[in-house]
Amino acid sequence: MDLKTTYNKIAKDWMQDHRDDTWWIEGTDTYLSFLTFGALILDVGCGGGEKSKYFIEKGFSVVGVDFSEEMIRFAKEKVPAGQFFVKDIQQPLGLKDKFDGVIAQAVLLHIPKRNILAVLKNIIAPLKLGGYFYAALKEKKSGGPDEETVRENDYGHDYERFFSYFTLSEVKDILARVGLQVLHEYASTSRSKTHWIQIIAKKTDITLL
């Protein structure tokens, strides 16, 4: 199965499995502190809308995008106050709104490094100049691979998923190349012992897009 088909098949079980994750909360709350109350956030790779719901409960407006039709279906059911669209971040998003914030949590880890700059340009194109960007990526282990395809058997399905892993210095360099100034960095570990790099940046240069 390709990645989109995989997430369409495992959407409900995946959401249930990750319902109690907490690794993202502190870094996300720090990010939200940079935004004004009521700011419009683009939730990239929104999945079933769990984080979008969190943002709305904190007083923000949300548009969510994901390439999985099934995830978007769940998001629309769970978060009627949000707007949700099926979009592939490897293509221009074509959104009419301009956003105060763009958040990409556990999303860019599925993008091959050779494509990361193009994808970043797609997802920050609708971010206002002076707006804030947040990303959470899997940290590269010492001696570990830069990229790999992992075979898994969960929720009654055999499937494969592609992952990219990053160092903090690598992430900072990539963001600088698309006009994002890093303001804050935060590391956390999930229940599955995954080490996450969480980073907050400000859009300071539109000439690089």
Side-chain angles (χ1 to χ4, degrees):
M1 291 186 289
D2 61 28
L3 194 64
K4 178 177 178 177
T5 302
T6 292
Y7 277 112
N8 276 331
K9 284 187 174 293
I10 69 174
K12 184 176 181 179
D13 292 314
W14 186 92
M15 289 165 52
Q16 179 71 21
D17 194 28
H18 290 272
R19 183 183 59 184
D20 296 325
D21 286 353
T22 59
W23 62 266
W24 55 274
I25 294 175
E26 186 173 350
T28 299
D29 284 347
T30 301
Y31 169 74
L32 295 177
S33 72
F34 283 87
L35 301 175
T36 58
F37 185 82
L40 181 60
I41 296 173
L42 175 61
D43 186 2
V44 175
C46 64
E50 189 67 31
K51 308 303 168 35
S52 294
K53 182 173 181 287
Y54 184 82
F55 306 147
I56 288 171
E57 289 173 347
K58 293 281 187 176
F60 299 94
S61 299
V62 176
V63 173
V65 297
D66 200 286
F67 70 168
S68 165
E69 294 91 350
E70 193 69 2
M71 287 291 195
I72 290 296
R73 184 177 71 81
F74 283 120
K76 288 179 176 179
E77 291 178 357
K78 182 185 295 185
V79 195
Q83 299 181 65
F84 298 95
F85 304 98
V86 177
K87 299 283 185 180
D88 186 342
I89 61 174
Q90 298 193 79
Q91 303 295 328
L93 298 181
L95 297 169
K96 61 181 178 61
D97 294 304
K98 286 294 184 180
F99 295 87
D100 304 295
V102 171
I103 187 164
Q105 194 170 85
V107 176
L108 298 174
L109 52 80
H110 287 314
I111 302 300
K113 290 189 175 183
R114 66 181 181 276
N115 299 336
I116 197 74
L117 285 174
V119 168
L120 268 173
K121 289 179 180 180
N122 287 339
I123 66 178
I124 67 169
L127 179 63
K128 295 176 182 177
L129 185 64
Y132 295 94
F133 175 75
Y134 164 98
L137 307 100
K138 289 192 174 187
E139 184 178 26
K140 180 183 175 182
K141 296 178 181 178
S142 177
D146 284 332
E147 302 174 332
E148 65 177 341
T149 299
V150 179
R151 294 186 176 185
E152 300 170 273
N153 180 284
D154 291 308
Y155 323 125
H157 300 286
D158 292 310
Y159 57 91
E160 295 181 342
R161 289 190 296 167
F162 174 88
F163 292 98
S164 293
Y165 307 101
F166 297 84
T167 64
L168 179 59
S169 61
E170 189 176 18
V171 175
K172 287 182 174 180
D173 176 67
I174 292 168
L175 296 185
R177 292 170 66 184
V178 295
L180 294 168
Q181 177 189 358
V182 173
L183 304 176
H184 183 82
E185 59 201 53
Y186 178 76
S188 61
T189 304
S190 69
R191 291 177 297 143
S192 62
K193 307 302 181 184
T194 297
H195 295 281
W196 292 95
I197 295 171
Q198 298 180 68
I199 201 155
I200 299 167
K202 185 175 184 178
K203 187 174 183 179
T204 59
D205 192 344
I206 61 173
T207 64
L208 299 178
L209 297 181

